[in-house]
Amino acid sequence: MESASFVVVGGSAGIGLEITRRLAAKGCPVVVISRSAVSVADLPGVTHLEADVTQDEIDIGSLPERVKGLVYCPGSIRLRPFHRLKEADFLADLQINLLGAVKAIQACLPGLKKADNPSSIVLFSTVAVGTGMPFHASIASAKGAIEGLTRALAAEFAPKIRVNAIAPSLTDTPLARTLLSDEGKRAAAADRHPLKRVGKAGDIAAAATYLLEDASSWITGQVLAVDGGMGALRTFK
């Protein structure tokens, strides 16, 4: 991967932190936009920009002049029966998943256009968009909007900027802590996946890093399933 600047929104925890670590290990300058700098303070080549993308404007003047890649990681897991969901719940999921991504892309767009080679945007969907799951109405709606945004922007920005998304299944991160809070829940979640385990942050970060690299330069407009087989397979014994 060529030495260039990357922006990772939500890069100080979970999958975003793992992406930041992998980019830093490759010697890439990284700007992390998040509420806390504690976990990235000692990573070489990493600059922190404090902001809550659901509330704050992004300081465009603090962003790199040339942006090789942008990853938008913030998300939510709001699992409730449909009759218990309020309009405010749908709006909150759209705010963090869709509108925050729109804000980040618009802020970074001038820098993405200035990159020497085609730059890359990586967004996050969920397996629950393509595979109907109970209690996922709000988050699947918001992430479905992300998949639409991915394809629309991939068409609009081609050939200068590539846009792809990753659709994970349940991944062991702080965001999913309550769903994996004991060994019984963890074992049941693992058993639902054909590969018989839940995801790790590194599984998803490896895919995201690949989509940022020039090795993926002929990939755009795609939603890559990194889900332990959950979305495509049914195993019967």
Side-chain angles (χ1 to χ4, degrees), residues 206-226:
T209 305
Y210 169 68
L211 289 174
L212 293 171
E213 295 175 340
D214 290 335
S216 62
S217 63
W218 214 41
I219 300 176
T220 194
Q222 302 302 306
V223 179
L224 178 62
V226 186

Side-chain angles (χ1 to χ4, degrees), residues 9-10 12-17 35 54 72-79 92-93 96-97 124-126 136 139 143 168-181 185-186 198-201 204:
V9 183
S12 59
I15 293 167
L17 176 57
R35 290 174 293 181
T54 65
Y72 183 83
C73 301
S76 55
I77 303 180
R78 191 186 309 273
L79 306 184
D93 280 338
I96 189 169
N97 291 282
F124 283 93
S125 180
T126 171
H136 283 69
I139 186 58
K143 292 297 194 180
S169 185
L170 183 61
T171 305
D172 190 359
T173 65
L175 187 63
R177 184 177 293 119
T178 59
L179 302 177
L180 300 169
S181 58
K185 289 181 179 180
R186 186 177 293 272
V198 298
K200 301 175 184 177
I204 316 304

